[in-house]
Amino acid sequence: MTTKVLAIDDSRTIRNLLRLSLETAGFEFHSACDGVEGVARFSEVNPDVVITDINMPNMDGYGVIETLRTKDKTSVPIIVLTTESSDDLKARARAAGATGWIVKPFDDTSLVSVLRRLTGHAA
Amino acid sequence: MQPTPEASEGKTFKFVAFSAGSQSYCLEITQIREIRRWAAVTALPHTPSDVLGVMNLRGAVIPIFDLAARFGLGKTPDNERNVVIVAAAGGNTIGLLVESVSEILSVNTDTIQQTPDIKSEATRNSIQGVIAIDEEMIRVVNLDAVLGADAGIAA
Amino acid sequence: MSGQPSIRDTFFEECEELLEALVEGLADMEDPDHSKETVNAVFRAVHSIKGGAGAFGLDELVHFAHTFETVMDKVRSDTLDVDPELLRLFQRSGDQLADLVEAARDDRDPNRDIQVVVLAELQKYLGDEDEEEEIEFDAMGLDFGGPLDLTDISDDSSEPSSQMISIRFVPKRSLFENGHEPLLLFDAIAELGTLTVSADISAVPDFDEFDSDEPHIVWELTLETDESETVLHEVFEFVDSLCDITITVHRNESASEPPPAVVDLGLPEEPVAPEPSSDPTAAEPLAKPVAVASPSSPSSAASAAAPAADRDHRGPKPTLRVDLDRVDRLINTVGELIINQAMIVQRIEELDLPSGANLTNELEAYKLLARDIQEGVMAIRAQPVKPLFQRMSRIVREASDATGKSARMVTVGDSTEVDKTVIERLADPLTHMVRNAVDHGLETPEKRIAAGKDEVGTIRMSAAHRSGSVFIEIGDDGAGLNRPRILETAINKGLVSPEADLTETEIDNLLFLPGFSTASEVSNLSGRGVGMDVVKNAVQALGGRVSITSTPGKGTTFTIVLPLTLAVMDGFVISVAQETMVIPIASILETVTPNARDLHRIGLNGEVLRVRGRYVPIVDVAHNLGLERNSDSNGNGVLLLVETEMQELNALRVEAIHDQRQVVIKSLESNYGRIPGVSAATILGDGKIALILDPEELVKLNSGDVAPMPIIANQEELHHAAHT
């Protein structure tokens, strides 16, 4: 079984970069361009891991995490992709239920190893 | 792409031979798109007499030249056998009205001779070389020069 | 990653969209009642550019975007109020951001002079506390968010020699809730060396009082590793506050007995019972269907409303990227379809079927369908003028900075869609006109105040579809054209005779004459060797025309009228010297069937028509095309009144008008060349080609302004001369 990743980011560039890195590494890649679409895609795709941006239109990343944790009651890893690495952001993300975070610009090998570690899949 | 008289690699090219102004000419086959029966054209104003007008070639508007007139051999007389050779050169598609198409020749480039030193420079430029077959001398048309790729036709 | 040109390309494409959203958002922010979402959208645009730029190592862009974003963030968090000054700074910052993006895309140096100034101004809003905050661009979030419980670290961990590390790991309930999985953590640790794991389940209560929400397990791990302890911290990075961790390093000891264990799990074998039961999701499986967009959930209700409100001004619409060549091939094919349809209609008419035949209805339906397809295909090429207008607002700012004038830009109808090629080719002419409007059109602030006007001038750009054409207007509320000076300049340059008695419109149109642009008028801004004649030529090349209206003290407006598409045109099918031709309807004011008494001869060949007391020169189309006019055609033919760009009336004489229809424009230039008086050709229903006339040029031919023979003809003459 390939590992399914759902990436939620309003930047097409970031989605493209993620797709490139993750598909190369053997993940099945799905994406959504804002929070609302992300939450909807989640129930369609049923991913093994979610990567989400924080600053997005319609529903921000915190909203996505809270919705997935409280409403979808999911325990899949949710990784926050952010340009900031402030403690405040991490604390907020964690309070919402984030599993971890990755600071943009991301290094694709580290990204892949984090995803593998959190999902336990070789890919 | 066109065979040149100098390139004596000894390659064989196919040429379509036709007659214009009662003389024999030929064009390399890869330059020819198709050969059509003569049909009425729409005249273009402000053009010399060897520009017969424009024709609808499956939706494209292509100019038709009277090749004989263009070579200074007088206007091609109306005849049922007249055909239009549709040729492509330098990104343009044009039609050449000729009297008739005779045959397809397989010609070794070695047998193409340089254009004899005739008086008219314009004619010399329009002829790329000559092919002697039996008693006949067939002129290889330099389409670019005829078109005036360097002489007025828009690119 | 930077070696991926296609992704880099999409980044710049996305930047364009984001910059568009940015400009739009900033414009919306001028409204004092702007919504918070407007500010958010602006912030996100800058933020997204920064995020993407970081991935491509565009540090200068990242730095600028970051500073911009940080100030924006203060507005977003209501710690900074938006005033006109700040808004202007934001707009200038947007311009700089656009310049940086373009510079990065074109691999050139950005305009650092302005950038430094703008950055400094942004910095002023940040004060000292933010000045030092530089963005961290470590490759990954490897920093430690909160304090780790790192008791008993006996020594510096940098020594790589083999060491034993004991880890006591007590997960909290939130660890599971946040999607962590202890066994996966242990897998990661196991990769660092030899790991022994044991679990102490003594805290697990009896099953009757089992609280599945609490983990109740204490894990004891022993790792024998060559890696430094820091690496271990990375593994626990995400869980540092979700569990209690105690790490003890025993250096240079041989592998020792693991701490006492109750259950030996012997990883990486299958997990055993206690773990899954501690997972809160185990009690409530995921299988339950989840209505995500259900309005009953407060969070999704709010978010579901948001896109609806947003829809028409931001948010990516689903789009499809198609190679332009494919679209153009499709357009050509549809052109063939239209011609084919016309041919079928003609053939059927020739059959002379009894009236009321069913075929007629079907044929009409076919015609409408073909027309629909054609419009739909052309719409693919149509794009809103908004990005073009937005570029112009940047030009207005640059121009006002350069001239010391204050100007604001107002746009109307920027959602008007125009053919892509038209938009591309209008950019340069519009830039020139907008610069002119600020530079020459608007007065200095002092003069404006003296004239009782708002100190800030207004440049107004509008776009609209009107009667099958696109109208684009560039107006200013400046002093209006200085007609005496224009006339004087034109006379001095020998463009017009000193005795000429010109109307106001005629004087205004002198601006379009080649060579009008004068040295005395050249400023550092508009004077780049381009005159309005270049603008006019560019517009004409698109099949359009440009005109001026100006009121002293009130301002000047340039109007560009363009065909809706470049591929089809409404025309009259006419006959000229027995040839069927087409003339664009847009150029015709009215058609006149003249009475002999309204026609007057002037001089040898001149002829005029009297219309409502005015005498209008008659242009014989056949004559000007070098064709013989059919002598037995019905009398004086039909006259088509046209107005030239100089606003002169002329009457084109043709034999007859047969029909009015939409024709597909076929270029003559692509295979032949330009022919004076003819703009293009089209294919009629019978498959024959009809020439499309250019009224403007016919009038010029008539007055001898244009050499009647095309270039090719001249060369042909030489060619023939060589023969004879």
Side-chain angles (χ1 to χ4, degrees), chain A residues 13-79:
Chain A
T13 304
I14 298 295
R15 291 198 304 274
N16 279 333
L17 288 167
L18 287 171
R19 175 182 293 278
L20 180 77
S21 307
L22 298 180
E23 286 186 347
T24 310
F27 290 90
E28 184 181 320
F29 186 84
H30 300 268
S31 65
C33 64
D34 65 38
V36 171
E37 190 195 343
V39 169
R41 291 284 286 154
F42 182 85
S43 46
E44 287 165 37
V45 172
N46 202 7
D48 300 298
V49 57
V50 176
I51 301 175
T52 182
D53 186 21
I54 288 295
N55 275 300
M56 288 185 294
N58 299 341
M59 182 195 283
D60 67 12
Y62 304 122
V64 169
I65 303 169
E66 274 165 19
T67 308
L68 293 184
R69 291 282 184 236
T70 58
K71 208 161 159 298
D72 287 73
K73 302 235 185 288
T74 182
S75 64
V76 303
I78 304 175
I79 300 182

Side-chain angles (χ1 to χ4, degrees), chain C residues 28 35-36 46 56 77 105 113 162 197 261 272 352 416 420 498 540 543 563 610 643:
Chain C
D28 290 349
S35 74
K36 193 146 180 79
V46 181
F56 298 103
S77 59
R105 185 190 61 204
D113 298 348
S162 172
V197 181
V272 289
D352 210 13
T416 305
K420 182 177 159 58
Q540 275 182 342
R610 199 180 64 182
E643 192 182 45

Side-chain angles (χ1 to χ4, degrees), chain C residues 270-291:
Chain C
E270 285 300 299
V272 289
E275 190 278 322
S277 63
S278 63
D279 186 337
T281 59
E284 198 159 344
L286 278 170
K288 182 181 99 180
V290 185

